[in-house]
Amino acid sequence: MLSAIALDSVSSPNRRLWASGIRGTSMKYCWKKTGSFCRLIIRRSARVPTRFLFIVASLLCPLPGFAQEAVDSLNSSILLFTLMIMVIIVGGGLVVLLLHHLGSSSFRKLHASLTHMPLAVAIIKRKDGSLLYGNKSCRELLGIRKLDGRYLYPDEISPQMMFDFLRPFSFRRGFRNVSEELHFAQGRMLKLTVSGQPVRYKWQPAWLLFIVKPPQRPTSPAKLKQEQRVFQQVLNSLSELVYFQDKSGQTIGTNKAFDRFWRGRVSEGVMGDDDCVSGANNSSHTWTTAPDGSSRLLETNKTLLIGDNGEAIGTLSISHDVTDWHEMQESLKQEIEKREITEQALAQRNTLLDTIMSASTDPIGLYNEHGIYVGCNEPFARSLGFGQGELLGKVVSEVLEPDKWELSQEADQQVIREGVALKMDDYVILEDGTPIWYEVVKSPYRDPTDGTAGVLVMARDVTERKMAEQQLADAIMELQELSFIDSLTKVANRRSFDEQLRKLWHSHIREQKPLTLILCDIDNFKAFNDNYGHQQGDYALREVAKVFRSVVKRETDEVARYGGEEFAFLLPNTDMKGGEVIAAKVHRQLAEKGISHMYSGIDTKLTVSLGIATITPLPVQDYGELIEMADIALYKAKAVGRNCTMSMSDSDGF
């Protein structure tokens, strides 16, 4: 109930009247008077006793200035109450922090104890069965993985499965020695005994589980013998060299690979007792000679064998052939040394050249057997159009083009399967359009941390070498072309003519087709040279050759400079009539060319004499007969006055 009381400086009788009037009721009385007045608002949820209100009013309003003192007193009470509340809050927070610190310290001690405990221990979240913690023994027993501070079940165990297993014990204070069977891949089964108790882990309810593997029953002699036989077969199927020794260093067993490699030299393959440090594994590298006489580098790992009671019962030694890996490392080392020497030499030059050469560092990349890039340098990533950070973690099939991926996949499988290095060439166009040829070497590698296989790719920029090879090939082609072309007239030379005639002669013997040869001689060309000069004579020869090239149309026809001012037309699959058509064109187009020859004695223009010979060659004949027939026909053309054509064939009785 809310009561409002307005007081001012009034007389005592009035105050008594006010007090008596308010008794037993909840009304608001106001006395107004000229001057200042104060109002006190009193809130209460029940009826306020009249005597109590009267006392409050009498105490607060005897004098006009006393109202301010009452307000100050009330403010002091509120301030004191507020300070008490703040002290309580701060104190409570400190208590919570202290409890949290004590809890964290206690958990760290518990974590340290559980980590080194030989018993498998796991902490399971009660809400959903998720795995919160598993010590080293638990991870080894169940195959639990630790990734970025998180603990993951193996594929055969799910949080729901663990939740269902623990559900019957939700309202119990714990359980002991509960048997459970886990079924893994390939039919493997694991029998376990589980004990647990409820705990709080990181401020949330959880189960603390103790997991043990029950002792196995003694194996019968027959079964033990069968297991030993299977174990020996497994060892014999390994390519590694394996042997066992007892505590005294006596060899008690080997596999077939060891026997094949060390036959007659067993003492060389066995490490001494001092080579194995008690309680630790030891690895050594030894150069030796293989049965085929080659030098091989063996990496031998010697491990102590521990019995059921923790005592050392012997040693197990396994040797791997790491020659290829060593040679690859030496090759890489040599390449690095060469690059360092090159960089030292280039350091004496200007900064620009040094920058260019530094940018041409050989690309090197690594990807595992699943085709995922696990390492690379900047040149390697740039050659594929990525940055170094962008390429890592990507799959090769997503980076390479489909056709290149198919070729790369075949090579990668061969490298991983056969363990050999492959060399190939690759052509790459960078993002800026620069074409680069790489000589790529793919070698197998095995990650020493987890044993996964992969491919090591080393590339070398051989663009300059490829360009030099191309230039050399072009030069050889040009040289070959020049060796068959007459340098003056740009038609085939005598060598090309002889080579082409030999090929056509044999093909026409097989096909029994007619082959026609036209020999051409420029009339009185000596007088032309004597009167016009040799420079003008060379010009005339070039012009005549142009006319001859324009006469023949087929690609198989050939015009050649036979010698001096003599030319030859070689016309395959052409009879006598076809040869006479070509000869008539020669006379006509040369006349149209109109090369002046005032000293010919035959005409004022340059003329030629032609001798045509046609033959269908037989195996008993020689292509020299065709040349001799054409020469006789040319002689006849000159004899009858030049500037004409004479023909001769094998039917003329030659």
Side-chain angles (χ1 to χ4, degrees):
M1 180 177 179
L2 178 63
S3 299
I5 304 173
L7 301 177
D8 58 0
S9 299
V10 296
S11 61
S12 296
N14 291 332
R15 287 199 298 271
R16 285 194 298 271
L17 178 61
W18 166 78
S20 62
I22 201 173
R23 182 180 295 116
T25 182
S26 59
M27 300 177 61
K28 180 176 69 174
Y29 297 85
C30 294
W31 288 266
K32 296 184 180 178
K33 184 179 181 182
T34 304
S36 62
F37 67 93
C38 64
R39 176 173 294 179
L40 174 63
I41 300 176
I42 301 176
R43 298 179 179 269
R44 58 192 182 93
S45 58
R47 292 177 57 89
V48 180
T50 305
R51 188 175 299 276
F52 175 77
L53 293 178
F54 175 76
I55 294 173
V56 172
S58 300
L59 291 176
L60 294 181
C61 303
L63 296 175
F66 195 76
Q68 184 63 36
E69 296 180 3
V71 173
D72 294 341
S73 176
L74 183 60
N75 290 338
S76 299
S77 300
I78 295 175
L79 178 60
L80 180 60
F81 179 75
T82 303
L83 290 176
M84 292 178 64
I85 295 299
M86 291 181 62
V87 169
I88 293 173
I89 293 175
V90 172
L94 292 176
V95 171
V96 171
L97 290 177
L98 179 60
L99 293 176
H100 179 72
H101 175 73
L102 293 176
S104 299
S105 177
S106 175
F107 170 72
R108 285 194 294 269
K109 294 179 181 179
L110 176 63
H111 184 274
S113 301
L114 296 181
T115 300
H116 301 287
M117 184 177 292
L119 188 67
V121 179
I123 299 178
I124 310 299
K125 192 175 181 180
R126 297 186 65 176
K127 181 179 180 181
D128 55 7
S130 59
L131 181 62
L132 300 178
Y133 171 78
N135 66 351
K136 182 178 179 181
S137 300
C138 182
R139 296 197 295 270
E140 293 176 352
L141 178 62
L142 300 181
I144 291 174
R145 297 167 293 165
K146 184 178 181 181
L147 179 64
D148 297 334
R150 298 185 299 111
Y151 295 88
L152 304 176
Y153 287 117
D155 295 338
E156 292 80 3
I157 303 176
S158 64
Q160 184 62 38
M161 182 189 303
M162 189 60 68
F163 178 77
D164 294 339
F165 169 73
L166 296 172
R167 184 187 299 171
F169 313 108
S170 299
F171 301 100
R172 296 171 59 179
R173 298 181 60 84
F175 58 91
R176 296 185 61 185
N177 300 330
V178 176
S179 299
E180 182 66 18
E181 293 182 355
L182 292 179
H183 297 273
F184 292 89
Q186 300 179 352
R188 188 170 66 92
M189 184 184 66
L190 182 62
K191 293 184 178 180
L192 302 173
T193 301
V194 185
S195 301
Q197 66 181 32
V199 296
R200 295 193 69 82
Y201 178 82
K202 295 184 178 180
W203 305 94
Q204 55 185 339
W207 280 102
L208 178 63
L209 302 183
F210 299 90
I211 307 171
V212 296
K213 185 178 180 181
Q216 297 180 353
R217 297 179 180 177
T219 307
S220 63
K223 187 175 181 181
L224 182 60
K225 187 175 181 180
Q226 175 67 18
E227 292 178 353
Q228 291 177 348
R229 184 164 54 253
V230 173
F231 179 68
Q232 187 64 39
Q233 292 176 352
V234 172
L235 289 180
N236 291 334
S237 65
L238 298 177
S239 60
E240 288 81 3
L241 316 181
V242 182
Y243 68 93
F244 308 90
Q245 291 178 303
D246 56 16
K247 291 191 298 184
S248 63
Q250 184 69 27
T251 302
I252 58 177
T254 60
N255 68 343
K256 289 186 177 180
F258 182 90
D259 298 336
R260 285 195 300 267
F261 190 89
W262 295 111
R263 58 174 179 263
R265 303 180 297 146
V266 176
S267 59
E268 297 182 22
V270 177
M271 298 174 59
D273 295 337
D274 297 336
D275 297 332
C276 187
V277 181
S278 178
N281 298 339
N282 188 50
S283 177
S284 64
H285 293 79
T286 306
W287 281 101
T288 186
T289 303
D292 59 0
S294 61
S295 296
R296 311 302 294 175
L297 178 63
L298 297 182
E299 180 186 68
T300 304
N301 294 281
K302 195 167 187 179
T303 307
L304 282 174
L305 297 177
I306 308 300
D308 296 336
N309 298 325
E311 76 282 4
I313 60 175
T315 57
L316 167 65
S317 299
I318 303 176
S319 299
H320 305 264
D321 188 347
V322 294
T323 309
D324 295 337
W325 175 85
H326 175 75
E327 292 177 352
M328 181 184 68
Q329 293 295 323
E330 289 296 323
S331 175
L332 182 60
K333 182 179 179 181
Q334 293 176 3
E335 292 296 330
I336 294 175
E337 291 176 354
K338 291 180 181 179
R339 190 177 299 110
E340 290 177 352
I341 295 174
T342 303
E343 290 176 355
Q344 292 175 1
L346 292 177
Q348 302 175 0
R349 302 186 181 183
N350 56 55
T351 305
L352 178 60
L353 181 60
D354 181 68
T355 303
I356 295 175
M357 296 303 294
S358 299
S360 64
T361 305
D362 295 342
I364 301 176
L366 289 169
Y367 50 87
N368 59 23
E369 57 189 351
H370 304 294
I372 300 175
Y373 288 102
V374 295
C376 69
N377 60 357
E378 189 62 32
F380 184 88
R382 188 171 60 252
S383 66
L384 296 176
F386 291 89
Q388 186 175 4
E390 298 174 346
L391 186 61
L392 296 180
K394 289 187 177 295
V395 184
V396 179
S397 59
E398 298 176 354
V399 175
L400 299 181
E401 297 177 357
D403 53 345
K404 287 189 176 182
W405 161 239
E406 293 180 2
L407 298 175
S408 177
Q409 189 179 26
E410 295 178 1
D412 294 344
Q413 292 177 354
Q414 183 178 356
V415 169
I416 296 176
R417 182 176 61 254
E418 301 179 5
V420 297
L422 296 180
K423 183 183 292 186
M424 62 194 69
D425 292 335
D426 191 15
Y427 181 72
V428 177
I429 299 179
L430 300 182
E431 291 182 349
D432 58 359
T434 304
I436 295 181
W437 276 99
Y438 285 115
E439 183 182 73
V440 182
V441 177
K442 290 189 173 183
S443 305
Y445 88 95
R446 186 168 294 277
D447 193 332
T449 58
D450 55 9
T452 58
V455 178
L456 166 66
V457 182
M458 294 186 295
R460 177 181 298 173
D461 187 348
V462 293
T463 306
E464 294 184 0
R465 192 189 74 186
K466 285 289 185 179
M467 294 177 62
E469 291 176 354
Q470 186 62 40
Q471 292 175 356
L472 179 61
D474 294 342
I476 292 175
M477 291 292 293
E478 185 177 356
L479 181 61
Q480 290 177 348
E481 184 179 353
L482 291 175
S483 64
F484 289 100
I485 298 297
D486 180 67
S487 60
L488 177 62
T489 60
K490 304 304 178 184
V491 296
N493 58 14
R494 177 64 179 271
R495 178 183 176 185
S496 176
F497 170 79
D498 292 339
E499 181 70 19
Q500 186 70 5
L501 177 58
R502 183 183 63 81
K503 293 179 181 179
L504 292 175
W505 183 265
H506 292 294
S507 64
H508 281 67
I509 290 177
R510 292 192 305 269
E511 299 173 1
Q512 282 298 290
K513 298 290 184 178
L515 178 62
T516 297
L517 171 63
I518 302 176
L519 289 181
C520 172
D521 185 67
I522 301 177
D523 297 330
N524 297 322
F525 192 68
K526 184 177 184 303
F528 188 95
N529 275 334
D530 292 342
N531 290 278
Y532 292 104
H534 288 281
Q535 186 174 1
Q536 191 67 21
D538 291 343
Y539 170 77
L541 289 174
R542 288 194 293 269
E543 294 300 314
V544 170
K546 291 180 182 179
V547 172
F548 292 168
R549 287 201 305 270
S550 65
V551 169
V552 295
K553 302 297 183 182
R554 298 183 304 180
E555 293 183 359
T556 55
D557 297 340
E558 184 175 70
V559 179
R561 187 180 180 189
Y562 197 69
E565 67 274 10
E566 293 184 355
F567 292 83
F569 294 81
L570 194 55
L571 309 175
N573 297 330
T574 305
D575 55 11
M576 179 66 68
K577 185 177 180 181
E580 291 175 349
V581 171
I582 295 296
K585 289 183 178 180
V586 169
H587 286 295
R588 184 174 65 253
Q589 294 190 20
L590 187 60
E592 293 175 356
K593 189 70 174 178
I595 302 174
S596 178
H597 187 1
M598 303 303 297
Y599 306 95
S600 173
I602 300 171
D603 196 343
T604 58
K605 306 296 181 183
L606 194 68
T607 59
V608 294
S609 298
L610 303 177
I612 305 175
T614 301
I615 188 172
T616 301
L618 299 174
V620 296
Q621 293 178 307
D622 184 77
Y623 58 82
E625 297 181 15
L626 179 63
I627 297 176
E628 187 174 357
M629 291 172 58
D631 194 54
I632 293 174
L634 177 61
Y635 178 78
K636 290 181 179 180
K638 291 180 179 180
V640 296
R642 301 178 183 273
N643 192 21
C644 63
T645 300
M646 298 298 292
S647 303
M648 190 173 184
S649 66
D650 50 357
S651 61
D652 294 334
F654 174 76

